[in-house]
Amino acid sequence: MDFKKIIIIVVIFLIFFLGLLYFLKQDSTANQSKQSLSPEEQMTMERISPLGTGEGFWDEAISPFREDKTKPYLELLDDLKTGKINFVWEVWALRRKCKAEYTPDQCNATILAYIDAEYESPDKEKVKDLFISYFRYEEEYRKWEQPTDLSFVELYEKIKAKRRDVLNDKADLIFGMEESQVSFLEGTQNFIKQSANLPAEQRVKQFEDLKKKTYGTYYDSLVSREDKFDHYQVEMSLRDKEFNAITDPKEKEKYLNRIEIKYFGKERAGSLAEERSKESKFKESISKYELKEKDFLRENANLSAAEKEKKLKELRIQFLGSEEEADAYIRRKNIEEAGK
């Protein structure tokens, strides 16, 4: 055997052997330490720390959190104030990383241990205080007997007051974004009624102004998370009166296309317009077929049922373009009839 290979094997063996000795020594020392305790001392230790001394426990428990980069306190503060993050969602995202068998208190303690391990002072104390305050609020909220005879708006005002009673100025940090959204929903109901007779462009602008004013510093973050289609539908509902007043189909399509380009871009808006055109032509084909069907049945009343169906199927294929579409038409009609 090559001399160099022998040397390498020997070195590897020595490293392995020394490592094994070290491990055995550590294990022996731990056992001796435990055995040196009296039965009374062991019982006391187990009662104080039912999960053990904690040595190694938290390292394992907080490991699922370590994949996320911790935010400095000031950055966390800014993200809360601007709505980039929702504190309650963040707490529950962390909790979902806890083991299923953990109690709520164990999970909360694990989160706090993670903060201890990952943050340096003074950020550590500030971030921990935020989480501890929220945990305390949850506990108080669970104990709180809510009034049952209030409307949602009245009850929510009570909830907001409770938050400030427990959290003081932290209530705005933790719940400010949610409260602005609820406030906007309330404001929207009033706006829809009061703005019914405004010109569409003015109505849309005022609606957006209301949103900006109500959301405040959260506006950019909240709008960035809005579903484009939902936003599009809201604008179309605000324009409903003006849109329905357009009688020329071509002008109506232009109007719709302009709004769709605003939300979905030119390419997607073009695709939507094409789909509508196909749908419109298909409906027109169905109308033509149904007129032809009536004429045929009136003029051929003496034909047998089989002959009628054979001829009608030919007409459906002729008007609707394919046997598949013809069969689909019959299925839809059967479903409609069954639903009556």
Side-chain angles (χ1 to χ4, degrees), residues 278-293:
K278 287 179 181 177
E279 183 67 20
S280 177
K281 287 177 182 177
F282 187 68
K283 286 180 179 178
E284 189 179 335
S285 298
I286 289 175
S287 297
K288 287 179 179 178
Y289 162 74
E290 289 177 345
L291 284 173
K292 189 69 176 176
E293 180 188 42

Side-chain angles (χ1 to χ4, degrees), residues 23-37:
F23 174 80
L24 292 172
K25 184 179 178 183
Q26 290 292 99
D27 188 56
S28 173
T29 303
N31 286 335
Q32 287 173 10
S33 174
K34 191 172 182 180
Q35 288 169 4
S36 66
L37 294 173

Side-chain angles (χ1 to χ4, degrees), residues 129-274:
D129 182 52
L130 202 56
F131 277 83
I132 290 169
S133 296
Y134 176 73
F135 296 155
R136 187 176 70 251
Y137 165 75
E138 282 188 326
E139 188 64 31
E140 291 294 324
Y141 189 82
R142 280 191 289 268
K143 295 175 185 175
W144 180 40
E145 292 185 14
Q146 295 182 8
T148 57
D149 57 343
L150 301 178
S151 67
F152 170 77
V153 173
E154 292 170 329
L155 178 59
Y156 197 71
E157 287 302 315
K158 295 282 185 185
I159 292 171
K160 285 165 66 176
K162 183 69 175 176
R163 288 168 174 174
R164 278 145 189 82
D165 182 48
V166 177
L167 294 166
N168 299 316
D169 58 337
K170 294 187 188 73
D172 286 331
L173 277 177
I174 294 173
F175 294 109
M177 180 166 59
E178 175 208 292
E179 291 173 0
S180 75
Q181 289 174 289
V182 173
S183 180
F184 178 66
L185 288 174
E186 294 171 14
T188 297
Q189 293 176 0
N190 295 328
F191 177 83
I192 295 297
K193 294 175 185 175
Q194 295 168 2
S195 65
N197 295 319
L198 286 177
E201 293 296 334
Q202 187 179 346
R203 197 181 191 202
V204 170
K205 184 182 182 305
Q206 286 190 11
F207 181 80
E208 202 61 28
D209 289 343
L210 172 67
K211 186 186 287 188
K212 286 179 180 177
K213 182 180 178 181
T214 310
Y215 285 168
T217 57
Y218 308 115
Y219 176 81
D220 289 337
S221 295
L222 285 172
V223 169
S224 71
R225 291 195 288 267
E226 283 181 350
D227 182 83
K228 284 184 179 180
F229 186 72
D230 289 345
H231 203 172
Y232 160 77
Q233 284 188 311
V234 169
E235 176 158 345
M236 286 306 299
S237 70
L238 293 171
R239 295 177 175 276
D240 191 54
K241 189 175 180 180
E242 182 176 270
F243 180 68
N244 289 332
I246 302 172
T247 54
D248 184 342
K250 289 183 179 179
E251 289 302 315
K252 207 160 194 167
E253 181 59 36
K254 283 182 184 178
Y255 189 102
L256 200 57
N257 185 250
R258 176 170 61 86
I259 307 301
E260 287 173 344
I261 288 173
K262 174 182 174 180
Y263 286 99
F264 311 121
K266 196 170 183 179
E267 186 177 344
R268 178 60 179 149
S271 298
L272 291 170
E274 189 177 340

Side-chain angles (χ1 to χ4, degrees), residues 320-332:
L320 303 182
S322 69
E323 187 172 353
E324 290 78 7
E325 288 292 354
D327 291 343
Y329 169 81
I330 290 298
R331 286 195 295 272
R332 285 195 298 272

Side-chain angles (χ1 to χ4, degrees), residues 59-68 97-98:
D59 281 341
E60 181 185 351
I62 67 177
S63 60
F65 303 105
R66 292 187 186 277
E67 64 195 49
D68 298 326
K97 294 184 179 184
C98 288

